[in-house]
Amino acid sequence: MHMSDGLLNAPTSVVFLAIAAAGVGFALIKARADLDDRTAPMAGLVATFIFAVQMINFPILPGASGHLLGGALAAILVGPYVGALCVTIVLVVQALLFADGGLTALGANVTNMALIGTATGFLVAVALRRLAERGRGGLAAVAFVSAFVNTLFAATGFVVEYAVGGAGGVEIGKVALLMWGLHALIGIGEGLITAVTVTSVAAIRPDLVHLLRGSAKPLEVRS
Amino acid sequence: MRKFSIGFAVVSLLVAGVLSYFASGAPDGLDKTVEDTGIAEHAREHPLAGSALADYALGGDDAFTGVAGVLGVLVVLAVSFGLFWLLRKRSDVR
Protein backbone atom coordinates (compact mmCIF):
# COMPACT_ATOMS: atom_id res chain seq x y z
CA MET A 1 0.00 0.00 0.00
CA HIS A 2 2.95 2.25 -0.67
CA MET A 3 2.05 5.03 -3.05
CA SER A 4 4.47 6.17 -5.72
CA ASP A 5 5.33 9.78 -6.38
CA GLY A 6 2.94 11.67 -8.63
CA LEU A 7 -0.37 10.23 -7.43
CA LEU A 8 -0.93 13.29 -5.22
CA ASN A 9 -0.23 16.86 -6.27
CA ALA A 10 2.63 18.80 -4.68
CA PRO A 11 0.64 20.87 -2.13
CA THR A 12 -1.21 17.78 -0.89
CA SER A 13 2.07 15.89 -0.56
CA VAL A 14 3.48 18.75 1.50
CA VAL A 15 0.42 18.92 3.74
CA PHE A 16 0.61 15.21 4.51
CA LEU A 17 4.36 15.41 5.01
CA ALA A 18 3.68 18.07 7.65
CA ILE A 19 0.97 15.90 9.26
CA ALA A 20 3.33 12.91 9.25
CA ALA A 21 6.15 14.97 10.77
CA ALA A 22 3.88 16.29 13.51
CA GLY A 23 2.55 12.82 14.28
CA VAL A 24 5.96 11.18 14.32
CA GLY A 25 7.34 14.03 16.44
CA PHE A 26 4.53 13.52 18.96
CA ALA A 27 5.17 9.77 18.96
CA LEU A 28 8.89 10.38 19.58
CA ILE A 29 8.07 12.41 22.68
CA LYS A 30 5.45 9.99 24.02
CA ALA A 31 7.36 6.80 23.14
CA ARG A 32 9.97 7.42 25.81
CA ALA A 33 7.61 6.43 28.60
CA ASP A 34 7.06 3.03 26.97
CA LEU A 35 10.74 2.29 26.34
CA ASP A 36 13.06 0.76 28.91
CA ASP A 37 15.93 -1.71 28.88
CA ARG A 38 13.49 -4.56 28.26
CA THR A 39 10.99 -3.03 25.83
CA ALA A 40 13.49 -1.12 23.65
CA PRO A 41 15.00 -4.31 22.17
CA MET A 42 11.45 -5.71 21.75
CA ALA A 43 10.51 -2.58 19.77
CA GLY A 44 13.49 -3.14 17.48
CA LEU A 45 12.44 -6.74 16.94
CA VAL A 46 8.87 -5.69 16.13
CA ALA A 47 10.02 -3.14 13.53
CA THR A 48 12.27 -5.77 11.97
CA PHE A 49 9.49 -8.35 11.87
CA ILE A 50 7.10 -5.90 10.20
CA PHE A 51 9.70 -5.11 7.54
CA ALA A 52 10.20 -8.81 6.83
CA VAL A 53 6.50 -9.69 6.72
CA GLN A 54 5.68 -6.68 4.52
CA MET A 55 7.80 -8.36 1.82
CA ILE A 56 5.29 -11.19 1.66
CA ASN A 57 2.46 -10.23 -0.65
CA PHE A 58 -0.37 -12.74 -0.34
CA PRO A 59 -2.92 -13.22 -3.14
CA ILE A 60 -6.43 -11.89 -2.45
CA LEU A 61 -8.02 -12.08 -5.92
CA PRO A 62 -6.72 -13.12 -9.32
CA GLY A 63 -4.37 -10.27 -10.23
CA ALA A 64 -4.36 -8.59 -6.83
CA SER A 65 -2.44 -9.09 -3.62
CA GLY A 66 -1.93 -7.49 -0.25
CA HIS A 67 0.66 -7.35 2.48
CA LEU A 68 0.76 -6.67 6.18
CA LEU A 69 0.71 -3.02 7.19
CA GLY A 70 1.51 -3.76 10.81
CA GLY A 71 -0.12 -0.91 12.73
CA ALA A 72 -2.29 -2.99 15.05
CA LEU A 73 0.43 -5.61 15.44
CA ALA A 74 2.92 -2.98 16.56
CA ALA A 75 0.43 -1.16 18.79
CA ILE A 76 -0.61 -4.34 20.62
CA LEU A 77 2.97 -5.49 21.17
CA VAL A 78 4.79 -2.23 21.94
CA GLY A 79 2.10 0.45 22.36
CA PRO A 80 0.80 3.08 19.94
CA TYR A 81 3.67 5.58 20.09
CA VAL A 82 6.54 3.13 19.81
CA GLY A 83 4.41 1.21 17.31
CA ALA A 84 3.98 4.23 15.07
CA LEU A 85 7.76 4.71 15.14
CA CYS A 86 8.31 1.04 14.23
CA VAL A 87 6.15 1.34 11.11
CA THR A 88 7.73 4.71 10.23
CA ILE A 89 11.24 3.25 10.35
CA VAL A 90 10.10 0.44 8.04
CA LEU A 91 8.57 2.89 5.56
CA VAL A 92 11.64 5.15 5.53
CA VAL A 93 14.02 2.24 4.95
CA GLN A 94 11.75 0.88 2.20
CA ALA A 95 11.59 4.26 0.42
CA LEU A 96 15.31 5.06 0.70
CA LEU A 97 16.87 1.63 0.26
CA PHE A 98 14.37 -0.36 -1.80
CA ALA A 99 12.69 2.38 -3.90
CA ASP A 100 9.39 1.12 -2.44
CA GLY A 101 7.05 4.05 -1.85
CA GLY A 102 7.80 7.45 -3.36
CA LEU A 103 9.90 10.11 -1.67
CA THR A 104 7.38 12.95 -2.02
CA ALA A 105 4.69 10.39 -1.10
CA LEU A 106 6.51 9.41 2.10
CA GLY A 107 4.46 11.80 4.23
CA ALA A 108 1.17 10.38 2.98
CA ASN A 109 2.43 6.81 3.31
CA VAL A 110 3.57 7.42 6.89
CA THR A 111 0.26 9.13 7.67
CA ASN A 112 -1.75 6.16 6.40
CA MET A 113 0.21 3.17 7.62
CA ALA A 114 2.21 4.42 10.60
CA LEU A 115 -0.17 6.99 12.10
CA ILE A 116 -3.74 6.10 11.05
CA GLY A 117 -3.14 2.35 10.99
CA THR A 118 -1.43 2.23 14.36
CA ALA A 119 -3.85 4.64 16.05
CA THR A 120 -7.03 2.92 14.86
CA GLY A 121 -5.62 -0.53 15.56
CA PHE A 122 -4.67 0.55 19.06
CA LEU A 123 -8.03 2.18 19.81
CA VAL A 124 -9.92 -0.96 18.81
CA ALA A 125 -7.54 -3.16 20.80
CA VAL A 126 -7.92 -1.01 23.92
CA ALA A 127 -11.70 -0.94 23.58
CA LEU A 128 -11.64 -4.76 23.52
CA ARG A 129 -8.92 -5.19 26.15
CA ARG A 130 -11.24 -7.12 28.51
CA LEU A 131 -11.73 -9.77 25.85
CA ALA A 132 -7.99 -9.89 25.13
CA GLU A 133 -7.30 -10.60 28.81
CA ARG A 134 -9.57 -13.64 28.80
CA GLY A 135 -7.10 -15.99 27.19
CA ARG A 136 -5.59 -17.01 23.95
CA GLY A 137 -8.81 -17.08 21.92
CA GLY A 138 -9.85 -13.66 23.16
CA LEU A 139 -6.45 -12.16 22.40
CA ALA A 140 -6.51 -13.68 18.91
CA ALA A 141 -9.96 -12.24 18.25
CA VAL A 142 -8.94 -8.79 19.45
CA ALA A 143 -5.76 -8.88 17.36
CA PHE A 144 -7.74 -9.94 14.28
CA VAL A 145 -10.41 -7.26 14.63
CA SER A 146 -7.98 -4.42 15.37
CA ALA A 147 -5.79 -5.41 12.43
CA PHE A 148 -8.79 -5.61 10.10
CA VAL A 149 -9.89 -2.14 11.19
CA ASN A 150 -6.36 -0.71 10.87
CA THR A 151 -6.21 -1.93 7.26
CA LEU A 152 -9.54 -0.35 6.32
CA PHE A 153 -8.67 2.97 7.94
CA ALA A 154 -5.21 3.10 6.40
CA ALA A 155 -6.89 2.53 3.02
CA THR A 156 -9.33 5.32 3.87
CA GLY A 157 -6.33 7.57 4.41
CA PHE A 158 -5.47 7.21 0.74
CA VAL A 159 -9.08 7.88 -0.27
CA VAL A 160 -9.04 11.13 1.73
CA GLU A 161 -5.66 12.17 0.32
CA TYR A 162 -6.85 11.46 -3.21
CA ALA A 163 -9.99 13.50 -2.57
CA VAL A 164 -7.88 16.40 -1.30
CA GLY A 165 -5.43 16.50 -4.18
CA GLY A 166 -5.13 13.39 -6.31
CA ALA A 167 -3.90 13.29 -9.90
CA GLY A 168 -6.18 12.36 -12.76
CA GLY A 169 -9.53 13.52 -11.40
CA VAL A 170 -11.03 10.07 -11.03
CA GLU A 171 -14.40 10.04 -9.28
CA ILE A 172 -13.74 9.61 -5.57
CA GLY A 173 -16.55 7.10 -5.10
CA LYS A 174 -14.88 4.78 -7.54
CA VAL A 175 -11.53 5.07 -5.76
CA ALA A 176 -13.16 4.52 -2.38
CA LEU A 177 -15.11 1.47 -3.50
CA LEU A 178 -12.03 -0.21 -4.97
CA MET A 179 -9.83 0.65 -1.99
CA TRP A 180 -12.37 -0.54 0.58
CA GLY A 181 -13.31 -3.68 -1.31
CA LEU A 182 -9.72 -4.77 -1.83
CA HIS A 183 -8.63 -3.81 1.67
CA ALA A 184 -11.51 -5.66 3.28
CA LEU A 185 -9.90 -8.77 1.79
CA ILE A 186 -6.37 -7.67 2.69
CA GLY A 187 -7.64 -6.92 6.21
CA ILE A 188 -8.48 -10.61 6.66
CA GLY A 189 -4.86 -11.50 5.91
CA GLU A 190 -3.64 -8.68 8.15
CA GLY A 191 -5.94 -9.98 10.89
CA LEU A 192 -4.70 -13.55 10.61
CA ILE A 193 -1.01 -12.58 10.61
CA THR A 194 -1.53 -10.23 13.55
CA ALA A 195 -3.49 -12.83 15.55
CA VAL A 196 -0.87 -15.54 15.01
CA THR A 197 2.01 -13.19 15.84
CA VAL A 198 0.49 -11.65 18.95
CA THR A 199 -0.69 -14.97 20.42
CA SER A 200 2.72 -16.52 19.72
CA VAL A 201 4.50 -13.74 21.60
CA ALA A 202 1.93 -13.91 24.41
CA ALA A 203 2.45 -17.67 24.74
CA ILE A 204 6.19 -17.23 25.30
CA ARG A 205 6.52 -13.80 26.88
CA PRO A 206 3.13 -12.37 27.92
CA ASP A 207 4.99 -9.64 29.81
CA LEU A 208 6.19 -8.26 26.47
CA VAL A 209 2.68 -7.68 25.13
CA HIS A 210 1.93 -4.00 25.75
CA LEU A 211 -1.84 -4.45 25.62
CA LEU A 212 -1.76 -7.01 28.42
CA ARG A 213 0.58 -5.08 30.67
CA GLY A 214 -0.94 -3.90 33.91
CA SER A 215 -3.93 -6.13 33.40
CA ALA A 216 -5.60 -7.31 36.58
CA LYS A 217 -4.79 -10.93 36.08
CA PRO A 218 -2.01 -12.42 34.00
CA LEU A 219 -3.04 -14.07 30.77
CA GLU A 220 -3.81 -17.74 31.26
CA VAL A 221 -2.00 -19.10 28.25
CA ARG A 222 -2.93 -22.75 28.58
CA SER A 223 -6.65 -22.21 28.98
CA MET B 1 14.96 -12.35 26.85
CA ARG B 2 18.02 -13.59 25.00
CA LYS B 3 16.43 -16.75 23.59
CA PHE B 4 13.24 -14.93 22.72
CA SER B 5 15.08 -12.11 20.95
CA ILE B 6 17.23 -14.45 18.91
CA GLY B 7 14.18 -16.52 17.98
CA PHE B 8 12.19 -13.46 16.92
CA ALA B 9 15.09 -12.14 14.83
CA VAL B 10 15.63 -15.53 13.19
CA VAL B 11 11.93 -15.68 12.22
CA SER B 12 12.30 -12.25 10.56
CA LEU B 13 15.44 -13.37 8.73
CA LEU B 14 13.70 -16.52 7.46
CA VAL B 15 10.62 -14.60 6.33
CA ALA B 16 12.69 -11.99 4.45
CA GLY B 17 15.35 -14.39 3.24
CA VAL B 18 13.32 -17.46 2.25
CA LEU B 19 9.56 -16.91 2.36
CA SER B 20 9.99 -13.78 0.23
CA TYR B 21 10.57 -16.00 -2.82
CA PHE B 22 6.99 -17.22 -2.50
CA ALA B 23 5.40 -13.76 -2.34
CA SER B 24 2.73 -12.88 -4.89
CA GLY B 25 3.94 -10.62 -7.69
CA ALA B 26 0.45 -9.22 -8.31
CA PRO B 27 -0.19 -5.53 -7.54
CA ASP B 28 -1.31 -4.81 -3.97
CA GLY B 29 -4.65 -3.21 -3.12
CA LEU B 30 -3.53 0.37 -3.68
CA ASP B 31 -1.57 -0.42 -6.86
CA LYS B 32 -4.55 -2.35 -8.21
CA THR B 33 -6.84 0.58 -7.44
CA VAL B 34 -4.65 3.13 -9.19
CA GLU B 35 -4.05 0.81 -12.15
CA ASP B 36 -7.75 0.04 -12.69
CA THR B 37 -8.76 3.69 -12.46
CA GLY B 38 -5.92 5.03 -14.63
CA ILE B 39 -4.48 7.09 -11.77
CA ALA B 40 -1.28 5.07 -12.16
CA GLU B 41 -0.52 6.92 -15.41
CA HIS B 42 0.43 9.88 -13.27
CA ALA B 43 2.91 7.90 -11.18
CA ARG B 44 6.50 9.01 -11.55
CA GLU B 45 9.40 6.65 -11.49
CA HIS B 46 11.10 6.43 -8.11
CA PRO B 47 14.17 8.71 -8.01
CA LEU B 48 16.14 5.80 -6.56
CA ALA B 49 14.74 3.18 -8.98
CA GLY B 50 18.24 2.48 -10.23
CA SER B 51 19.77 1.91 -6.82
CA ALA B 52 21.37 -1.40 -5.85
CA LEU B 53 18.49 -2.81 -3.77
CA ALA B 54 15.57 -1.25 -5.68
CA ASP B 55 12.44 -3.43 -5.73
CA TYR B 56 13.95 -5.91 -3.25
CA ALA B 57 16.42 -7.23 -5.81
CA LEU B 58 20.18 -7.06 -6.14
CA GLY B 59 21.10 -4.91 -9.12
CA GLY B 60 17.71 -5.67 -10.66
CA ASP B 61 18.12 -9.44 -10.33
CA ASP B 62 15.10 -11.00 -8.61
CA ALA B 63 17.06 -14.16 -7.91
CA PHE B 64 18.60 -12.26 -4.99
CA THR B 65 15.35 -11.14 -3.37
CA GLY B 66 16.21 -13.15 -0.28
CA VAL B 67 19.61 -11.49 -0.01
CA ALA B 68 18.01 -8.05 -0.37
CA GLY B 69 15.49 -9.05 2.29
CA VAL B 70 18.17 -10.17 4.73
CA LEU B 71 20.08 -6.92 4.18
CA GLY B 72 16.87 -4.98 4.80
CA VAL B 73 16.23 -6.91 8.01
CA LEU B 74 19.73 -6.08 9.24
CA VAL B 75 19.34 -2.39 8.38
CA VAL B 76 15.93 -2.10 10.08
CA LEU B 77 17.27 -4.01 13.07
CA ALA B 78 20.25 -1.67 13.41
CA VAL B 79 18.27 1.54 12.88
CA SER B 80 15.39 0.60 15.18
CA PHE B 81 17.59 -0.85 17.92
CA GLY B 82 19.71 2.28 17.82
CA LEU B 83 16.78 4.67 17.93
CA PHE B 84 14.80 2.85 20.62
CA TRP B 85 17.89 2.29 22.77
CA LEU B 86 18.69 6.01 22.66
CA LEU B 87 15.08 6.96 23.38
CA ARG B 88 14.61 4.61 26.33
CA LYS B 89 14.31 5.69 29.94
CA ARG B 90 17.62 4.93 31.59
CA SER B 91 17.41 2.73 34.62
CA ASP B 92 19.52 4.15 37.40
CA VAL B 93 20.53 0.71 38.54
CA ARG B 94 24.09 0.22 37.50
Side-chain angles (χ1 to χ4, degrees), chain A residues 1 5 37 57 65 98 100, chain B residues 24 26-28 44 55-56 88:
Chain A
M1 145 147 205
D5 291 329
D37 287 3
N57 280 63
S65 73
F98 296 95
D100 185 16
Chain B
S24 164
D28 71 13
R44 291 194 302 269
D55 288 323
Y56 305 91
R88 83 192 191 287

Side-chain angles (χ1 to χ4, degrees), chain A residues 1-8 27-28 31-67 77 82 85-86 89-90 93-104 109 112 158 162 167-170 174-176 178-179 182-183 186 197 200-201 204-205 208, chain B residues 1-57 65-94:
Chain A
M1 145 147 205
H2 303 50
M3 354 172 175
S4 317
D5 291 329
L7 303 185
L8 302 177
L28 276 168
R32 215 179 146 75
D34 287 335
L35 289 167
D36 56 31
D37 287 3
R38 205 170 41 102
T39 54
M42 176 63 178
L45 291 165
V46 167
T48 305
F49 180 75
I50 290 172
F51 169 83
V53 179
Q54 281 205 359
M55 283 186 76
I56 316 303
N57 280 63
F58 48 84
I60 51 165
L61 288 174
S65 73
H67 62 73
L77 291 179
V82 179
L85 297 178
C86 286
I89 291 169
V90 169
V93 170
Q94 287 169 333
L96 295 182
L97 211 54
F98 296 95
D100 185 16
L103 297 185
T104 60
N109 283 328
N112 297 343
F158 174 72
Y162 190 79
V170 175
K174 207 171 158 188
V175 175
L178 271 167
M179 281 301 282
L182 291 164
H183 286 88
I186 295 171
T197 306
S200 300
V201 173
I204 308 167
R205 290 293 303 267
L208 286 177
Chain B
M1 187 70 198
R2 190 119 180 231
K3 246 194 209 161
F4 173 83
S5 299
I6 292 170
F8 207 167
V10 167
V11 169
S12 299
L13 283 169
L14 287 175
V15 169
V18 181
L19 197 59
S20 54
Y21 285 100
F22 301 93
S24 164
D28 71 13
L30 189 145
D31 286 334
K32 177 82 177 154
T33 299
V34 298
E35 281 173 22
D36 286 6
T37 50
I39 300 171
E41 288 165 29
H42 301 272
R44 291 194 302 269
E45 199 188 26
H46 199 289
L48 305 172
S51 63
L53 293 172
D55 288 323
Y56 305 91
T65 291
V67 179
V70 166
L71 288 173
V73 160
L74 297 177
V75 170
V76 175
L77 200 59
V79 171
S80 56
F81 257 80
L83 176 76
F84 293 131
W85 196 250
L86 286 175
L87 272 180
R88 83 192 191 287
K89 289 173 299 184
R90 309 292 153 94
S91 54
D92 298 325
V93 205
R94 265 251 119 185

Side-chain angles (χ1 to χ4, degrees), chain A residues 16-215:
Chain A
F16 284 96
L17 182 65
I19 292 173
V24 171
F26 182 66
L28 276 168
I29 295 166
K30 302 286 279 183
R32 215 179 146 75
D34 287 335
L35 289 167
D36 56 31
D37 287 3
R38 205 170 41 102
T39 54
M42 176 63 178
L45 291 165
V46 167
T48 305
F49 180 75
I50 290 172
F51 169 83
V53 179
Q54 281 205 359
M55 283 186 76
I56 316 303
N57 280 63
F58 48 84
I60 51 165
L61 288 174
S65 73
H67 62 73
L68 178 83
L69 307 180
L73 188 153
I76 291 171
L77 291 179
V78 292
Y81 308 112
V82 179
L85 297 178
C86 286
V87 182
T88 302
I89 291 169
V90 169
L91 295 173
V92 170
V93 170
Q94 287 169 333
L96 295 182
L97 211 54
F98 296 95
D100 185 16
L103 297 185
T104 60
L106 187 57
N109 283 328
V110 166
T111 303
N112 297 343
M113 288 180 266
L115 301 183
I116 299 176
T118 308
T120 52
F122 181 72
L123 290 175
V124 174
V126 166
L128 300 174
R129 192 185 332 230
R130 278 271 172 76
L131 176 59
E133 288 168 351
R134 270 205 214 155
R136 200 164 188 165
L139 181 61
V142 171
F144 181 92
V145 173
S146 14
F148 182 81
V149 172
N150 104 55
T151 309
L152 275 189
F153 273 88
T156 306
F158 174 72
V159 175
V160 171
E161 286 146 13
Y162 190 79
V164 172
V170 175
E171 201 191 322
I172 194 65
K174 207 171 158 188
V175 175
L177 216 62
L178 271 167
M179 281 301 282
W180 286 331
L182 291 164
H183 286 88
L185 296 173
I186 295 171
I188 296 172
E190 175 110 13
L192 292 174
I193 296 169
T194 303
V196 169
T197 306
V198 168
T199 52
S200 300
V201 173
I204 308 167
R205 290 293 303 267
D207 58 309
L208 286 177
V209 179
H210 185 276
L211 185 69
L212 302 176
R213 211 164 296 149
S215 63

